[in-house]
């Protein structure tokens, strides 16, 4: 597969799969439903409309809205005219919108719903380069009259001028620390990513993919190009809160996700199993399924007794797991953060492989991944074809390859700081095993150095705490402090269920976490996690957070990673309380 730019990649797929369904919404939802031929015709018409309003090669154009077929149509149109898309998260505040559109000097912006339009309207007067704003729901009006042959020829001439090194997008990294910076991705970067995934996974025309992570992020955006290059149907989930139900309705063959979705399915399954005989049956079924699937993946024969036991376990328990995610899958990808081994093994027991990977916006985004025939549970897989990984003396992961971006928009200082001898410095700590599989340990900026000079990696401790169903997430604090403390986000549903089971009064979360029984329950969990840790790695104080962490509050990134610095700032009063207490 050799293409010089992204429009050529998509055009080739359209030529091969003209009548396959390309863009759609779940059954029962009204809206845009297009075949590949219809998608490309609409995108070309939009491209002509962009040319009519003076948008050309190198111009920056914002896309500010939730996932929809229209989002992708605009993206494909911008690709053809050579414009550079600037993506904004649906949750971006008015101040963030102003910063990103000003920094990129955007000349046009496409917006989604009324909420996004209102936030942009608040700051539009402060964005001098912005000439016009178009609603994603108003594309028909923006189209204008049918394009003439001359206009289509002009569009083709624009596309023909594109080269691999031309930028196609600027993605402002949400980051878990610091101010967003614009990563500049080229056509060649994304083409390298698509080519690598084609080598690792088998996607076939007619398959269905579920698009629910933000398209403004490199993860779902890159996956969409993969999907559309293979004749796969991309089904858009417009409300992220409905993903669990949408999986059952859509029954996708492939999709990419973050750990929280898989964790949720696992937690619900455990809760439904309950305790006593039902739980023993559940655990036994998972153990039998796991033993069976391990033999299958190792190419070893499955003994008759195990095959019979697995059939019974599947009928009684394991098929419910597949039903919960809409049936068997060709690809279930996971990125954004490590996934607990027990969750991966739970899905594997039901015959569902989760392929974990690692990447960053700057790497388009995938650096490494597990894939059929090359999987190690607990690892982030091997580097993808065309991408090299090395580990620096301090443990930092360095990356180079055709998938790595050009640098940061208008920030040569940050670009110089982040690249060393052609290697991109990820800021993550990890190691490669003897077989070349990558393991992620932590973020360099997150490493805690206590007042006694002890180095503590908070990630493993936080992961161990979050493994309990009662804990949604944890943030460890202790840099330049005498000891570690923790901010604990309770899992609201699990905690309220525990309260009902124990006969405690029905109370809201802020009231519930003040109960002595609740505090002691969490204290016991924290003591258990730190039982075998060194004294300086043990948590001495903790506070339960009175509200869930959200993207809207700035505590979570769009891929649902905790923004550590933001959480520490929001709950500084709780942190100071803990350190003010006598030991």
């Amino acid at each position: 597969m050799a293409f010089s730019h992204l429009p050529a990649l998509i055009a080739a797929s359209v030529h091969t799969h003209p009548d396959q369904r390309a863009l759609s919404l779940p059954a029962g939802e009204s809206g845009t439903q297009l075949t590949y031929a219809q998608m490309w015709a609409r995108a070309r018409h939009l491209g002509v409309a962009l040319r009519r309003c003076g948008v050309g090669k190198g111009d920056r154009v914002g896309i500010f809205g939730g996932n929809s077929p229209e989002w992708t149509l605009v993206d494909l149109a911008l690709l053809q005219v050579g414009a550079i898309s600037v993506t904004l998260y649906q949750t971006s505040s008015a101040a963030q919108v102003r910063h990103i559109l000003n920094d990129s000097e955007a000349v046009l912006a496409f917006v989604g719903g009324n909420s996004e339009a209102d936030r942009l309207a608040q700051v539009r007067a402060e964005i001098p380069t912005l000439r016009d704003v178009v609603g994603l729901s108003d594309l028909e009006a923006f189209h204008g009259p049918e394009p003439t042959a001359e206009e289509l020829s002009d569009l083709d001439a624009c596309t023909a001028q594109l080269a691999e090194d031309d930028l196609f997008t600027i993605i402002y990294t949400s980051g878990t620390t610091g101010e967003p910076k614009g990563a500049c991705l080229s056509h060649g970067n994304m083409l390298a990513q698509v080519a690598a995934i084609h080598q690792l996974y088998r996607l076939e025309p007619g398959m269905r993919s579920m698009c629910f992570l933000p398209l403004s992020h490199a993860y779902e955006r890159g996956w969409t190009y993969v999907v559309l290059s293979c004749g796969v149907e991309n089904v858009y989930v417009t409300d992220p809160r409905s993903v669990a139900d949408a999986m059952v309705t859509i029954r996708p063959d492939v999709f990419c996700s973050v750990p929280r979705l898989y964790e949720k399915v696992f937690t619900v399954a455990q809760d439904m199993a309950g305790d006593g005989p039902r739980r023993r049956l559940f655990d036994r079924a998972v153990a039998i399924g796991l033993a069976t699937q391990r033999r299958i993946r190792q190419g070893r024969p499955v003994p008759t007794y195990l095959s019979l036991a697995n059939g019974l376990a599947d009928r009684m328990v394991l098929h419910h797991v597949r039903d919960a995610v809409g049936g068997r899958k060709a690809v279930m990808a996971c990125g954004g953060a490590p996934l607990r081994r027990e969750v991966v093994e739970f899905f594997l027991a039901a015959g569902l492989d989760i392929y974990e990977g690692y990447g960053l916006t700057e790497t388009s985004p995938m650096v490494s991944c597990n894939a059929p025939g090359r999987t190690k549970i607990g690892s982030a897989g091997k580097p993808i074809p065309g991408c090299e990984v090395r580990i620096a003396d301090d443990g930092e992961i360095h990356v180079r390859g055709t998938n790595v971006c050009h640098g940061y928009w208008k920030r040569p200082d940050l670009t110089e700081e982040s690249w060393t001898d052609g290697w991109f410095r990820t800021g993550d700590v990890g190691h490669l095993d003897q077989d070349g599989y990558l393991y992620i340990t932590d973020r360099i900026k997150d490493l805690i150095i206590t007042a006694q000079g002890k180095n503590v990696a908070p990630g493993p401790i936080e992961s161990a705490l979050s493994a309990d169903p009662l804990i949604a997430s944890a943030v460890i604090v202790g840099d330049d402090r005498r000891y570690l403390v923790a901010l604990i986000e309770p899992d609201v549903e699990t905690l309220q269920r525990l309260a009902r089971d124990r006969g405690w009064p029905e109370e809201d979360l802020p009231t519930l976490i003040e109960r002595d029984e609740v505090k002691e329950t969490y204290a016991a969990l924290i003591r258990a996690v730190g039982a075998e840790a060194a004294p300086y790695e043990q948590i001495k104080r903790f506070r339960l957070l009175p509200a869930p962490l959200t993207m809207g509050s700035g505590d979570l990134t769009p891929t649902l990673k905790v923004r550590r610095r933001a959480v520490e700032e929001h709950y500084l009063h709780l942190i100071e309380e803990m350190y003010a207490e006598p030991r």
Side-chain angles (χ1 to χ4, degrees):
M1 182 180 65
F3 299 101
S4 57
H5 47 69
L6 286 166
L9 171 77
I10 304 302
S13 182
V14 171
H15 178 75
T16 307
H17 317 109
D19 299 322
Q20 290 283 358
R21 182 71 66 84
L23 313 179
S24 64
L25 295 168
E29 290 190 29
S30 60
T32 303
Q33 317 270 349
L34 300 173
T35 65
Y36 272 78
Q38 292 167 336
M39 172 190 76
W40 198 237
R42 285 280 300 276
R44 284 173 61 73
H45 195 164
L46 273 173
V48 168
L50 287 166
R51 294 289 295 151
R52 288 170 181 162
C53 64
V55 175
K57 185 176 181 181
D59 286 335
R60 276 78 64 199
V61 176
I63 311 179
F64 181 30
N67 290 10
S68 67
E70 287 72 22
W71 202 109
T72 295
L73 287 171
V74 168
D75 193 22
L76 295 177
L78 292 172
L79 288 176
Q80 293 179 78
V81 302
I84 300 170
S85 56
V86 179
T87 61
L88 296 99
Y89 294 108
Q90 191 177 13
T91 55
S92 297
S93 67
Q96 290 169 328
V97 171
R98 178 181 58 214
H99 167 73
I100 290 172
L101 294 183
N102 270 328
D103 188 66
S104 63
E105 299 175 290
V107 299
L108 178 67
F110 289 87
V111 297
N114 292 334
S115 176
E116 294 94 317
D118 289 345
R119 274 171 278 159
L120 177 53
Q122 292 173 32
V123 295
R124 183 175 177 182
E126 304 170 60
I127 308 172
T129 59
L130 193 64
R131 301 197 299 256
D132 201 1
V133 176
V134 179
L136 288 174
S137 60
D138 299 328
L139 293 187
E140 292 290 346
F142 180 71
H143 276 157
E146 285 293 321
T148 65
E150 184 179 355
E151 287 176 318
L152 289 172
S153 178
D154 171 69
L155 180 65
D156 290 339
C158 289
T159 305
Q161 295 174 15
L162 296 173
E164 288 187 9
D165 287 339
D166 288 328
L167 298 187
F168 86 93
T169 194
I170 302 172
I171 300 179
Y172 283 78
T173 61
S174 57
T176 53
T177 61
E179 184 174 294
K181 49 189 180 290
C184 298
L185 273 61
S186 71
H187 287 259
N189 293 151
M190 188 55 70
L191 286 168
Q193 184 87 173
V194 173
I197 295 175
H198 279 192
Q199 292 184 52
L200 296 172
Y201 303 105
R202 185 175 180 179
L203 277 67
E204 299 179 347
M207 284 183 171
R208 309 186 95 196
S209 181
M210 184 175 67
C211 176
F212 69 96
L213 295 180
L215 277 166
S216 43
H217 191 275
Y219 189 20
E220 187 72 74
R221 181 99 167 279
W223 184 252
T224 293
Y225 291 131
V226 172
V227 163
L228 295 181
S229 69
C230 298
V232 173
E233 179 183 359
N234 211 31
V235 187
Y236 294 76
V237 179
T238 56
D239 181 0
R241 294 169 297 182
S242 68
V243 170
D245 292 334
M247 277 197 299
V248 178
T249 303
I250 296 169
R251 299 186 66 81
D253 301 286
V254 297
F255 66 88
C256 60
S257 182
V258 292
R260 284 207 175 195
L261 175 63
Y262 300 117
E263 296 270 4
K264 186 70 174 176
V265 174
F266 175 68
T267 300
V268 169
Q270 283 190 314
D271 288 345
M272 290 179 66
D275 297 314
R278 286 186 62 188
R279 183 54 181 267
R280 289 193 292 273
L281 172 64
F282 174 86
D283 291 342
R284 181 60 179 159
V286 170
I288 291 169
L290 185 58
T292 304
Q293 295 298 330
R294 280 176 170 163
R295 283 179 173 271
I296 292 171
R297 279 150 184 75
Q298 292 166 0
R300 298 162 57 201
V302 179
T304 302
Y305 77 88
L306 184 57
S307 179
L308 292 171
N310 185 68
L312 182 60
D314 195 85
R315 285 194 299 274
M316 298 185 70
V317 175
L318 301 178
H319 81 275
H320 293 297
V321 179
R322 294 193 299 276
D323 291 345
V325 296
R328 295 189 181 275
K329 301 283 173 277
V331 179
M332 288 170 58
C334 184
L339 189 58
R340 291 187 283 134
R341 172 180 287 271
E342 63 183 311
V343 178
V344 178
E345 291 180 341
F346 164 75
F347 281 95
L348 178 58
L352 297 166
D353 292 282
I354 296 178
Y355 299 115
E356 288 192 81
Y358 163 73
L360 307 95
T361 300
E362 293 88 344
T363 57
S364 308
M366 194 180 291
V367 168
S368 65
C369 67
N370 289 282
R374 44 174 274 178
T375 296
K376 272 192 183 182
I377 295 176
S379 80
K382 290 184 176 181
I384 64 172
C387 182
E388 297 177 80
V389 171
R390 75 177 186 187
I391 307 299
D393 292 341
D394 61 356
E396 184 179 22
I397 300 167
H398 292 182
V399 179
R400 72 177 178 188
T402 48
N403 60 313
V404 180
C405 80
H406 290 203
Y408 298 112
W409 180 256
K410 297 197 302 187
R411 292 300 304 269
D413 54 329
L414 286 178
T415 301
E416 183 177 356
E417 178 185 319
S418 300
W419 270 262
T420 301
D421 300 326
W423 291 85
F424 172 62
R425 301 173 58 184
T426 65
D428 291 315
V429 180
H431 67 272
L432 292 161
D433 70 9
Q434 67 275 14
D435 298 318
Y437 287 83
L438 181 63
Y439 292 79
I440 314 301
T441 307
D442 224 312
R443 291 284 299 171
I444 283 180
K445 292 179 180 179
D446 289 345
L447 290 177
I448 292 171
I449 303 177
T450 67
Q452 290 77 29
K454 299 291 187 180
N455 288 357
V456 179
I461 303 173
E462 292 165 347
S463 294
L465 289 168
S466 299
D468 192 281
L470 280 168
I471 298 178
S473 60
V475 174
I476 306 300
V477 179
D479 202 44
D480 203 26
R481 305 273 197 167
R482 303 188 309 279
Y483 49 85
L484 302 184
V485 300
L487 297 169
I488 303 293
E489 177 195 3
D491 185 281
V492 179
E493 291 181 12
T494 307
L495 178 56
Q496 290 177 336
R497 191 178 302 112
L498 176 68
R500 289 194 298 272
D501 292 344
R502 297 192 178 178
W504 300 337
E506 290 285 338
E507 296 171 321
D508 58 17
L509 182 62
T511 307
L512 189 57
I513 62 173
E514 293 302 320
R515 293 186 67 89
D516 291 340
E517 304 97 316
V518 171
K519 292 178 181 178
E520 180 49 38
T521 298
Y522 281 91
L525 295 177
I526 291 169
R527 286 195 297 269
V529 167
E532 298 182 7
Y536 65 87
E537 294 177 314
Q538 294 174 345
I539 297 165
K540 307 300 183 183
R541 299 280 186 276
F542 74 93
R543 287 292 186 275
L544 299 175
L545 300 184
L549 303 181
T550 65
M551 285 187 286
S553 65
D555 296 325
L556 297 178
T557 71
T559 52
L560 304 181
K561 288 186 286 189
V562 174
R563 300 188 70 211
R564 180 183 303 279
R565 302 292 178 251
V567 174
E568 290 180 14
E569 289 175 10
H570 291 169
Y571 292 102
L572 182 61
H573 62 290
L574 296 181
I575 295 171
E576 295 301 338
E577 267 183 27
M578 288 186 275
Y579 284 112
E581 293 176 353
R583 294 195 65 177

